[in-house]
Amino acid sequence: MDVKTLCLGVLSMGDASGYEIKKVFEDSFSHFYVAGFGSIYPALAELTRLGHVTCSNIEQEKRPAKKVYHLTDAGLQAFRQTLSGTHPHHRVRSDFMVLVVFAHLLPPQRVEQILATRLEDIERQLKLIDHCVSENGQSAPGTAFAAGFARTVLLAGRDYIEAQRGELLKALREKS
Amino acid sequence: MDVKTLCLGVLSMGDASGYEIKKVFEDSFSHFYVAGFGSIYPALAELTRLGHVTCSNIEQEKRPAKKVYHLTDAGLQAFRQTLSGTHPHHRVRSDFMVLVVFAHLLPPQRVEQILATRLEDIERQLKLIDHCVSENGQSAPGTAFAAGFARTVLLAGRDYIEAQRGELLKALREKS
DNA sequence: CGCACCATGTAAGCAGTTACATGATTCG
DNA sequence: CGAATCATGTAACTGCTTACATGGTGCG
């Protein structure tokens, strides 16, 4: 699953500019996919070349002109095709977990800070999800399921850290 | 956090060959970091060049010779340094979530299969973690914390899918 | 007056994946 | 007898990140 495919997905929910697509990535997809301008703009150019999207230049007053992209039938078909052939991977790459595993090589104070930072990040993501859910009144059924899934998993992680942080720090302080 | 750093981490737990390091990645780290031979072998070569590890050729009977790597003091110091400067990111890249969000574009049967596959993957990872925990009697305190965290999060995800799958499929079938 | 937001792009570089290449041993 | 395990590596490719480049508007 690449950025091109995700852009098709965003555009299947309505026309948008590259800048607006980036915002959807940040606001709604950030808990399972991250992408910056450096990958989105080239992806949109390539999709235009392939005929999966069309592009209109929209002049604006008191604002820079923007390029609004629109999903074509061929694009929607290609998106469906890609979804059909995609295995439901779910990969985590967590520096947080690495830091925790090797916590005994760090000052306990630093470990405390790592846990606190992780909790803050979780809280931020929870707020993002709640905001999305309250804003998009009736969206696709999958969106609600995905939001609920993410919420549940984040809450479980938060509660675990809060419940076990004392134990971990005690063990680390005892060993040193 | 790159593969080089992770290799230093594995070697901080004891000498190992590239092949054995790969097994540690698969058995113990797979739920938060994935790496293949194509990144591990070049990483070890680079670490040797940097003096972070030393390498001994060990001939074996009825088995190919292997290169056993050993962490140097400089290597451990470099590892600690890297850990100190690493922000505890926790990024998820989930094709599963993408598929769920756009479930309304797929046949309900396929969605059912996606959820089932995800449940199988979770079950597999849970078994891996339980196996690691039971094998490594008394490891570092961070390892136990990390295993518990991963376990908790996986269980929460599994339970959510099991509780909500019926609702999702009902909604999808109603719309089509 | 400085920062954040709106808006689009390019180019260099890096990390990691995938495929290829080789070959003995052991187990079912 | 075929598949899995043990064992190491290279090379091409891909996909993404980061930094650069530009510039008007609105807010505190």
Side-chain angles (χ1 to χ4, degrees):
Chain A
M1 182 86 54
D2 54 21
V3 175
K4 278 200 312 233
T5 306
L6 262 286
C7 286
L8 292 178
V10 173
L11 291 172
S12 79
M13 311 185 302
D15 294 357
S17 66
Y19 193 86
E20 287 158 355
I21 289 173
K22 171 86 188 306
K23 277 201 294 188
V24 174
F25 272 78
E26 270 172 359
D27 297 344
S28 309
F29 292 177
S30 65
H31 39 101
F32 59 88
Y33 209 96
V34 175
F37 289 127
S39 50
I40 292 172
Y41 285 126
L44 290 169
E46 175 69 6
L47 288 171
T48 308
R49 205 186 58 73
L50 289 169
H52 290 343
V53 302
T54 55
C55 169
S56 337
N57 272 306
I58 308 288
E59 298 290 332
Q60 294 179 113
E61 273 169 37
K62 311 208 174 181
R63 233 154 250 232
K66 61 178 175 177
K67 293 186 172 179
V68 171
Y69 294 89
H70 171 80
L71 189 65
T72 63
D73 287 350
L76 180 56
Q77 224 179 312
F79 183 51
R80 278 198 149 105
Q81 198 72 27
T82 304
L83 289 185
S84 297
T86 297
H87 185 91
H89 286 296
H90 183 83
R91 79 182 64 156
V92 177
R93 165 150 303 186
S94 176
D95 289 0
F96 165 68
M97 293 284 271
V98 176
L99 290 167
V100 167
V101 166
F102 296 104
H104 56 284
L105 298 177
L106 293 167
Q109 207 190 337
R110 161 85 171 131
V111 177
E112 220 165 344
Q113 180 233 310
I114 287 165
L115 295 173
T117 305
R118 181 78 206 109
L119 285 173
E120 281 167 29
D121 285 354
I122 289 174
E123 224 58 58
R124 203 170 303 132
Q125 291 201 295
L126 282 169
K127 266 180 198 148
L128 264 183
I129 290 168
D130 287 344
H131 187 254
C132 279
V133 169
S134 67
E135 211 173 46
N136 304 349
Q138 49 180 18
S139 43
T143 305
F145 183 94
F149 180 84
R151 215 170 170 283
T152 302
V153 166
L154 286 169
L155 286 174
R158 186 191 68 179
D159 293 350
Y160 181 86
I161 293 172
E162 276 170 356
Q164 303 293 323
R165 74 200 295 189
E167 197 98 13
L168 174 64
L169 288 164
K170 210 183 86 184
L172 289 170
R173 290 216 170 84
E174 273 167 15
K175 286 221 173 177
S176 67
Chain B
M1 182 84 57
D2 54 19
V3 175
K4 275 198 315 232
T5 306
L6 262 287
C7 285
L8 292 179
V10 173
L11 291 173
S12 80
M13 310 185 302
D15 295 357
S17 66
Y19 193 85
E20 286 158 357
I21 289 172
K22 171 85 189 307
K23 276 202 294 188
V24 174
F25 273 76
E26 270 173 357
D27 296 345
S28 308
F29 292 177
S30 64
H31 39 102
F32 59 86
Y33 209 96
V34 176
F37 289 127
S39 50
I40 291 171
Y41 285 127
L44 289 169
E46 175 69 5
L47 289 171
T48 307
R49 204 186 61 72
L50 290 169
H52 290 344
V53 302
T54 55
C55 170
S56 339
N57 271 306
I58 307 287
E59 298 291 332
Q60 294 180 110
E61 273 169 37
K62 310 210 175 182
R63 234 153 248 236
K66 62 178 174 177
K67 292 185 174 181
V68 171
Y69 293 88
H70 171 81
L71 189 65
T72 64
D73 287 353
L76 180 57
Q77 224 179 313
F79 182 51
R80 276 198 150 105
Q81 198 71 26
T82 305
L83 289 184
S84 296
T86 297
H87 186 89
H89 286 299
H90 184 84
R91 79 184 64 157
V92 177
R93 165 149 302 185
S94 178
D95 290 359
F96 165 69
M97 293 285 270
V98 176
L99 289 167
V100 167
V101 166
F102 296 105
H104 55 282
L105 298 176
L106 293 167
Q109 206 190 336
R110 161 87 171 131
V111 177
E112 220 165 344
Q113 178 233 310
I114 287 166
L115 295 173
T117 304
R118 182 79 203 107
L119 285 173
E120 281 166 28
D121 285 353
I122 289 174
E123 224 59 57
R124 205 171 302 132
Q125 291 201 296
L126 282 170
K127 267 181 197 149
L128 264 182
I129 291 168
D130 288 343
H131 187 253
C132 281
V133 169
S134 66
E135 213 173 43
N136 303 350
Q138 48 181 17
S139 44
T143 307
F145 184 95
F149 180 84
R151 214 171 170 282
T152 302
V153 166
L154 286 169
L155 285 174
R158 186 192 68 180
D159 292 350
Y160 180 86
I161 294 172
E162 276 171 357
Q164 303 293 326
R165 74 200 297 190
E167 197 99 10
L168 174 63
L169 288 164
K170 209 183 89 187
L172 289 170
R173 290 219 170 81
E174 270 167 15
K175 285 221 172 174
S176 65

